[in-house]
Amino acid sequence: MQMPPLPRVDEERAREVAGVVRRLGLRRDSYDDPRFYPPRSTPRELQLGYFAAMVAVDHRTTTPLTRFEGVFDGERLHGADALYRLGRRLFDEDPEFFTPERLASMGVDEGRRLFEIGGVRVWDFYTRVFLLRDLGCKTLELYGSFENLFSSNRASEIVARLRVFRAYEDPVEKKAMLLLKFLDGRGLVRVVDRDRLDVPVDNHLTRIAIRLGVVRLSSEELLVKQVEVGPEVDRAIREAVKKAWRLVARYSGVDVFTLDDYLWSFGRRACLRGSSPRCGHCPFAEVCLARARGVFLDEHRFTLTWYY
Ligand code: SF4
């Protein structure tokens, strides 16, 4: 039987990468882009509901066979950008949709307003409807409102509360951390136990970590062949990625959420999947293992998940 690849964090390389990150001059986002997020003037309950709901369904929209994209007010958007654009549009038309009551009883027609572009539905349409209903039902039953659900300013407490929701059950806590990133950045929750925060680990952060060499695998065969892995291997790799970026954040003095915003965007515009990332102007070029080797691996393949 083939042994699963064991991931390990390369601390020395994490220090080198942190040196580059420190010089980037990154700034914390406040998530006020009117294309994607609701105005601050709206009631806190609705803002909390918006972020809790949108993050609950913020996982991959692209699979090897499908793509989620469209043109919005003359701008072509794909993936999470398209999803949040649809969310903001729905919020403008019908803000009450983001109450626990409405989420709990949402139907297919409402799902189409969030998960369909030009008649094409996102690949796991019914899963996303289910995740929102689950969020609404349990929020109503256990807390009564989103204000009560997010009444704590401790990340540890919020993460523990979120575990009951199917959307937030990822053991690596991608969506929980993403939600905290938004809530903290918007000032909806001021997190006090900041040591509990981590990057939300997704495909981009994993691919960049592997290419830079801050995470090493005992065998790269699964990456080279792009064999679908199981949940245990996925979890082990992403836990290592989380730990590696935690070290980079600590050594660089940049907080994990600021680092995540940069890496997510960098993964979408520069360190792209495939054999031709845009290394020409990459700030990490001098410390990048993939560039030194001339081998540009993608992240492991784990397709059928709603965790990230
Ligand atoms: S040098 Fe290339 S492979 Fe390495 S991090 Fe930069 S874009 Fe990615």
Side-chain angles (χ1 to χ4, degrees), residues 208 211-212 266 270-271 277-279 282-285 288 290-291 296:
I208 299 166
R211 286 180 176 176
L212 288 175
F266 174 70
C271 197
R278 295 172 184 153
C279 303
C282 175
F284 300 108
C288 179
R291 187 164 178 267
F296 301 97

Side-chain angles (χ1 to χ4, degrees), residues 121-140:
R121 292 180 182 181
V122 74
W123 67 282
D124 60 345
F125 176 89
Y126 289 102
T127 298
R128 288 179 213 243
V129 171
F130 160 73
L131 294 175
L132 290 182
R133 280 186 185 162
D134 179 75
L135 175 70
C137 286
K138 289 174 182 166
T139 300
L140 266 184

Side-chain angles (χ1 to χ4, degrees), residues 20 50 55 82 128 145 198 250:
V20 177
Y50 179 83
V55 174
R128 288 179 213 243
S145 69
D198 269 303
R250 186 188 306 157

